[in-house]
Amino acid sequence: MNQTELTDMYASLGISNRVVRFAASVEEALKERFAQIDARAEYNQLKVLKAMQQNRVSDIHFAATTGYGYNDLGRDTLEQVYASCFHTEAALVRPQLMSGTHALHIALSGNLRPGDELLSPVGKPYDTLEEVIGIRESTGSLKEYGVSYRQADLLPDGSFDYEAVRKAINEKTKLVTIQRSRGYATRPTFSVGQIGELIAFIKGIKPEVICMVDNCYGEFVETAEPTDVGADMIVGSLIKNPGGGLAPIGGYIAGRKDCIDRAAYRLSAPGLGREVGASLGLNQSLYQGFFLAPTVVAGALKGAVFAANVYEKLGFSVHPNGSEERHDIIQAVTFGSPEGVIAFCQGIQAAAPVDSYVKPEPWDMPGYDSPVIMAAGAFVQGSSIELSADAPIRPPYSVFFQGGLTWYHAKLGILKSLQYLCDAGLVKDL
Ligand SMILES: *Cc1c(COP(=O)(O)O)cnc(C)c1O
């Protein structure tokens, strides 16, 4: 194949020569960066393979169970694979954990008792956790069950406020929740190393406190996970990184055996715990997705780095910036105008394998105080390891985007977004 063939192919998908050439120059400068991402993916691929081999994964593990799901060998072995990979005593990996929020809720409510206090040493947690905790009044919140909450905010530069954390720890503090990814906030994402330092500080003050990390969007971005640096539990969603795009549903909690057992008794029922929960024929997708996850995450990371560099070069503010080290797969780009974020999201949608002909528009979504636009042409509803973008229509008009099951799809999405911005006259000189 020569360069012309590729350019022609892009042209047939509506990408102009000018955009292809500009992208090629950006990509050329990212060779070293991409090689680093590939090297980490290689390491993580071996880590996953080793865990699968150690646990003697076999095709019998892909068989479906129904009903109670007693003796579901595939389910139990998959949990052992997660535990081996993340270097923990145990794991709960279930389609019955319906989302990241649900997994976090089960980990928290399983391990906290009335009179206990929950501490977030990294400021306000992810939106959906506000109702789980009771920061926003909500039926069934931890607050209703007599669990109090305290938080230590980050310093203005985004670093840990160790003095505030020290002051916030008291005789009631039972569990500390640390969110790794910035999510859709403006603070930085924490590296595994930084999380390790924070945990060591907290355990230095109160050794028996349970340290839980919300690991959403962080899995396989680095070669270590928070459980390698002292976390008692990590929690995440299978329609993000560790599901590798193949898991159609699910969440995981990996960590210390006593913590996982308490979570399991909360998920099913006291006395039942991990013994029940049919896998309904989903096991193969969960195994295969986990197997693919390191390369899928690498593709998503390349997309994020590429987008940061494309839009930074065009003068837009990007977060993280084009050269920063990454600790999750989320990329924010600030366009400064509603037209900018709308064109971007419509471009991402137009590049999708599913629903590419649909044109997303801003709408008044329940629970948000400004209209929101979302682009998602995904095989799995709401999957954000697949290429997706969303933006609230309000200043500073930033769009958050993440995912891409392959680097080539992520690249097409970004080229398409740039093409839409050019066509709308929002980008002049390429
Ligand atoms: C996505 C996410 C969650 C919640 O996951 P859902 O699957 O959307 O419920 C929690 N915390 C962080 C940091 C996330 O990115």
Side-chain angles (χ1 to χ4, degrees):
M1 186 194 71
N2 57 37
Q3 197 56 40
T4 321
E5 276 180 89
L6 188 61
T7 310
D8 288 349
M9 191 63 196
Y10 273 120
S12 75
L13 284 157
I15 311 291
S16 71
N17 243 319
R18 212 159 59 106
V19 167
V20 172
R21 254 184 288 121
F22 175 75
S25 72
V26 173
E27 194 180 335
E28 181 63 25
L30 291 174
K31 277 199 169 132
E32 214 172 290
R33 204 72 199 286
F34 281 17
Q36 284 169 3
I37 292 171
D38 286 332
R40 279 196 201 116
E42 182 176 358
Y43 182 94
N44 285 327
Q45 181 72 82
L46 298 179
K47 189 159 86 165
V48 170
L49 274 168
K50 190 172 158 201
M52 291 190 168
Q53 293 175 3
Q54 270 174 350
N55 291 287
R56 303 171 64 89
V57 173
S58 169
D59 61 357
I60 52 162
H61 296 131
F62 306 150
T65 57
T66 55
Y68 293 127
Y70 289 134
N71 304 311
D72 187 326
L73 199 61
R75 173 198 69 204
D76 295 348
T77 304
L78 178 67
E79 293 183 334
Q80 274 310 309
V81 168
Y82 266 67
S84 299
C85 184
F86 294 146
H87 309 123
T88 61
E89 292 173 357
L92 201 56
V93 185
R94 302 283 168 125
Q96 288 84 7
L97 288 169
M98 291 177 273
S99 66
T101 303
H102 186 213
L104 287 158
H105 169 61
I106 292 297
L108 290 171
S109 58
N111 282 282
L112 288 159
R113 297 290 178 269
D116 287 343
E117 190 160 276
L118 167 67
L119 168 65
S120 170
V122 296
K124 190 178 86 64
Y126 196 74
D127 264 24
T128 55
L129 284 193
E130 291 188 16
E131 280 158 296
V132 168
I133 296 168
I135 300 171
R136 258 185 290 149
E137 278 316 312
S138 177
T139 305
S141 69
L142 290 169
K143 188 177 165 201
E144 269 195 358
Y145 284 89
V147 174
S148 57
Y149 171 74
R150 204 176 280 269
Q151 109 188 8
D153 287 327
L154 297 168
L155 292 169
D157 68 353
S159 62
F160 305 131
D161 186 344
Y162 283 111
E163 263 332 288
V165 174
R166 184 194 302 283
K167 283 200 199 108
I169 296 174
N170 58 58
E171 67 287 347
K172 283 171 49 179
T173 312
K174 171 73 166 293
L175 195 153
V176 168
T177 179
I178 301 167
Q179 185 180 311
R180 176 174 175 181
S181 168
R182 59 202 287 263
Y184 304 118
T186 48
R187 59 120 163 134
T189 289
F190 305 120
S191 69
V192 171
Q194 286 173 305
I195 290 171
E197 283 166 29
L198 180 58
I199 291 173
F201 178 80
I202 290 164
K203 298 235 175 193
I205 297 166
K206 191 168 184 181
E208 67 274 26
V209 80
I210 298 169
C211 289
M212 181 190 96
V213 175
D214 174 350
N215 210 25
C216 282
Y217 288 132
E219 297 90 353
F220 300 123
V221 173
E222 299 184 40
T223 50
E225 299 293 338
T227 40
D228 294 314
V229 295
D232 300 298
M233 281 192 284
I234 51 174
V235 184
S237 163
L238 300 195
I239 63 168
K240 294 181 181 172
N241 303 16
L246 294 188
I249 189 172
Y252 79 91
I253 308 169
R256 238 168 57 193
K257 184 173 176 299
D258 62 314
C259 297
I260 300 306
D261 282 342
R262 282 190 293 265
Y265 288 125
R266 191 68 165 82
L267 174 63
S268 59
L272 299 182
R274 272 190 269 169
E275 304 297 317
V276 294
S279 53
L280 303 167
L282 297 176
N283 278 340
Q284 190 195 329
S285 310
L286 304 198
Y287 279 102
Q288 205 170 346
F290 197 55
F291 166 74
L292 290 176
T295 31
V296 169
V297 169
L301 275 171
K302 286 179 187 175
V305 170
F306 179 67
N309 281 276
V310 162
Y311 284 105
E312 191 169 65
K313 216 164 169 184
L314 295 171
F316 296 101
S317 144
V318 296
H319 208 78
N321 71 34
S323 53
E324 248 172 273
E325 192 67 41
R326 307 251 150 184
H327 308 295
D328 67 16
I329 61 167
I330 298 177
Q331 181 63 47
V333 184
T334 300
F335 288 104
S337 73
E339 296 76 21
V341 296
I342 293 169
F344 181 94
C345 289
Q346 291 180 343
I348 294 290
Q349 184 78 39
V354 179
D355 291 335
S356 61
Y357 56 87
V358 171
K359 195 171 169 188
E361 301 282 355
W363 63 300
D364 289 309
M365 217 171 116
Y368 290 81
D369 47 17
S370 48
V372 177
I373 182 165
M374 293 184 165
F379 294 100
V380 171
Q381 187 198 95
S383 167
S384 47
I385 187 62
E386 298 188 50
L387 192 64
S388 46
D390 45 71
I393 307 294
R394 63 163 183 252
Y397 302 104
S398 298
V399 60
F400 295 90
F401 98 103
Q402 64 273 312
L405 295 185
T406 71
W407 148 238
Y408 306 110
H409 175 218
K411 179 177 171 181
L412 178 68
I414 295 148
L415 296 196
K416 202 90 185 158
S417 73
L418 179 54
Q419 186 68 56
Y420 273 47
L421 280 148
C422 289
D423 294 347
L426 299 164
V427 168
K428 295 265 150 45
D429 313 302
L430 284 190

